[in-house]
Amino acid sequence: MSTYPIYQVDAFTSEVFGGNPAAVMPLTEWLPDEVMQKLAQENNLAETAFIVPEPEGAEQDFHIRWFTPGAEVPLCGHATLASAWVLFNKLDFPRKQVSFRSKSGPLGVSLQDDGWLELDFPNLAFEERPTPALLRDAMPEAGDKVLFVPNDTNYLVLVENEAAVRNANPDLSLLKQLGNQGVIISAPGDVSDFVSRYFVPAVGIDEDPVTGSIHSVLTPFWAEKLGRSKLLAHQLSARGGVLKCELRGERVGIAGQAAFYMEGQVTLSV
């Protein structure tokens, strides 16, 4: 039997029970994929992040992978932010900036002077497509055209105002049949620059509370639309979260706070 440390951190919030909870499991070497998937299913959070130190002299400090209860995903913001919080606050990482190797290329997280953590993420490309019939049936407010994000196979539905985002009630059983990762719905905000929600039933998450990774496409979209590079975003799930976003050419800065919830040990016979 072997024991492994596990931490749970609420990301994109200053208080426990807000934002998006993530489990973080630091490892010395990878567990089998099927075991990591079962751990994510057992944790039953939007994501469980696993981090393994990179070899000495490597370009990044750690290799990071993310699993939902249903699948491994190519990019995750809140669990990356939570992983950095654990490294800075629980594992005595010696610097204020940590870098990760990931399926979406190199990622960074820096600890700001005000205590916020800022993700350095890719600027994700998007393309306009005709709205799939299933998506129109599931979310009638979707227009004839939607944006598609090839990197993580998300659809982006744009609506008129914040109220439309708040009131969205898509048919999750139909969204699950789309064959992609998830659906983002977004609009200009009443107080913030833009707002969003994110539905991901295909990978075991009906609605993700706060999603850093979708701001890799929302930030460049709204930066161009609003004509400025620095933006304040709110994700309007029941738990809710606040993100400070900045477009920096081919990269996007996504900053948030984090609140520590618990730590423990997992015992496995692997």
Side-chain angles (χ1 to χ4, degrees):
M1 305 290 281
S2 301
T3 59
Y4 303 88
I6 186 169
Y7 303 87
Q8 189 168 320
V9 176
D10 292 338
F12 297 114
T13 179
S14 60
E15 298 180 355
V16 173
F17 309 130
N20 199 354
V24 179
M25 292 191 66
L27 304 171
T28 56
E29 59 184 8
W30 294 113
L31 295 167
D33 286 7
E34 62 270 20
V35 173
M36 291 190 289
Q37 185 62 72
K38 288 178 179 177
L39 284 164
Q41 187 175 32
E42 185 77 8
N43 292 334
N44 199 32
L45 300 172
E47 263 88 11
T48 296
F50 300 90
I51 56 174
V52 171
E54 286 282 83
E56 188 175 348
E59 292 186 10
Q60 278 77 50
D61 300 306
F62 294 87
H63 188 176
I64 188 167
R65 295 172 67 184
W66 313 275
F67 288 78
T68 76
E72 184 175 7
V73 293
L75 185 64
C76 176
H78 84 280
T80 304
L81 188 143
S83 297
W85 188 94
V86 169
L87 287 165
F88 293 140
N89 292 278
K90 293 291 182 178
L91 301 180
D92 298 320
F93 189 76
R95 300 189 304 277
K96 289 189 175 183
Q97 184 167 348
V98 60
S99 59
F100 296 99
R101 178 163 69 96
S102 80
K103 287 182 177 291
S104 292
L107 309 174
V109 188
S110 57
L111 178 61
Q112 306 295 294
D113 291 340
D114 59 5
W116 286 54
L117 294 160
E118 185 181 71
L119 304 168
D120 173 40
F121 266 34
N123 175 342
L124 295 185
F126 55 87
E127 57 195 43
E128 189 175 80
R129 289 189 179 182
T131 304
L134 263 176
L135 180 50
R136 285 294 295 270
D137 291 342
M139 190 178 285
E141 56 267 56
D144 293 333
K145 301 285 186 180
V146 290
L147 300 180
F148 183 72
V149 189
N151 181 82
D152 52 12
T153 68
N154 283 317
Y155 288 104
L156 170 55
V157 174
L158 300 167
V159 293
E160 185 175 352
N161 54 40
E162 182 170 317
V165 175
R166 288 189 183 276
N167 296 330
N169 186 28
D171 185 326
L172 297 174
S173 64
L174 292 179
L175 291 186
K176 193 172 184 178
Q177 297 174 41
L178 269 174
N180 68 306
Q181 183 168 289
V183 175
I184 311 160
I185 183 170
S186 185
D190 294 341
V191 177
S192 56
D193 292 301
F194 66 90
V195 296
S196 65
R197 293 171 67 192
Y198 185 42
F199 305 96
V200 215
V203 294
I205 309 163
D206 286 349
E207 181 174 0
D208 198 34
V210 193
T211 318
S213 62
I214 64 171
H215 291 78
S216 279
V217 66
L218 288 170
T219 300
F221 176 83
W222 287 111
E224 181 178 352
K225 198 84 168 172
L226 299 174
R228 56 182 179 273
S229 59
K230 292 185 178 181
L231 303 165
L232 180 66
H234 283 99
Q235 196 157 331
L236 301 180
S237 66
R239 292 174 67 107
V242 178
L243 310 92
K244 296 178 183 177
C245 305
E246 183 174 359
L247 180 61
R248 298 171 181 154
E250 296 302 312
R251 306 295 292 180
V252 174
I254 305 165
Q257 296 170 287
F260 176 63
Y261 178 58
M262 70 175 181
E263 63 183 289
Q265 288 187 325
V266 173
T267 301
L268 299 173
S269 56
V270 294

